[in-house]
Amino acid sequence: MKIISITVVVIFTIFFWLAECGSKNNVKQINAENFTISYGMSTYKAQDKMEQEIVDALVKDYNNIKLDGTTNEEINYDKAITIIFINNDQISGQVTVDDKRICRIEGNKDSYTISEESNIYPNALKVYQDLKTKP
């Protein structure tokens, strides 16, 4: 009986450990009411300039980021987009990503590569270009 109990505990421990390791490839899920977006040296606030659907789409892209792992490659800040998501007047999430899919999440000191499935960079670039034309 004791062996069965130990076996069950070991199996549950391994299961939860594997589940925790698998979750590290994703970012913490956020919500946002608006955001600030930067490309190079230009920064724009989306507040009162973008429809909530656009904000929600960027939040969805952020929440769907899949990280392939850490990298020693530096972010190319000349081609990087930084998005700071705001919810209830507080930062709920932040990402900096460049055209090579190198990113930094929420001020983390590590750089990561983003999976090919993640669309945050091309979609954020379109939003940035649209936002900079608005008064």
Side-chain angles (χ1 to χ4, degrees):
M1 185 69 166
K2 191 174 186 178
I3 292 175
I4 293 174
S5 298
I6 292 172
T7 304
V8 169
V9 169
V10 168
I11 289 172
F12 277 116
T13 303
I14 290 171
F15 173 76
F16 287 116
W17 179 76
L18 289 174
E20 178 65 24
C21 287
S23 70
K24 298 223 186 256
N25 290 334
N26 302 324
V27 298
K28 177 188 81 167
Q29 302 293 288
I30 64 164
N31 290 313
E33 298 163 344
N34 60 62
F35 61 89
T36 299
I37 191 166
S38 303
Y39 181 79
M41 300 298 286
S42 301
T43 302
Y44 298 96
K45 290 184 179 184
Q47 189 172 8
D48 301 326
K49 295 181 183 177
M50 301 300 284
E51 296 82 26
Q52 188 62 42
E53 294 84 27
I54 301 295
V55 177
D56 293 343
L58 273 184
V59 168
K60 182 178 176 186
D61 285 340
Y62 177 90
N63 287 337
N64 288 326
I65 289 175
K66 303 286 187 248
L67 303 174
D68 283 342
T70 59
T71 183
N72 292 329
E73 224 175 311
E74 293 290 324
I75 293 175
N76 179 355
Y77 286 99
D78 291 334
K79 294 188 177 185
I81 294 175
T82 298
I83 307 170
I84 301 171
F85 293 97
I86 309 296
N87 194 44
N88 293 325
D89 296 325
Q90 296 181 6
I91 295 174
S92 61
Q94 180 176 338
V95 63
T96 300
V97 60
D98 72 8
D99 60 334
K100 293 187 211 171
R101 299 184 172 277
I102 308 298
C103 78
R104 191 163 285 147
I105 306 287
E106 295 186 35
N108 192 323
K109 64 179 178 125
D110 294 327
S111 293
Y112 299 91
T113 54
I114 294 179
S115 160
E116 293 288 327
E117 301 165 5
S118 298
N119 293 318
I120 187 101
Y121 185 83
N123 292 345
L125 187 58
K126 289 175 191 172
V127 169
Y128 167 83
Q129 290 169 340
D130 185 35
L131 186 58
K132 77 177 188 177
T133 63
K134 297 188 184 259

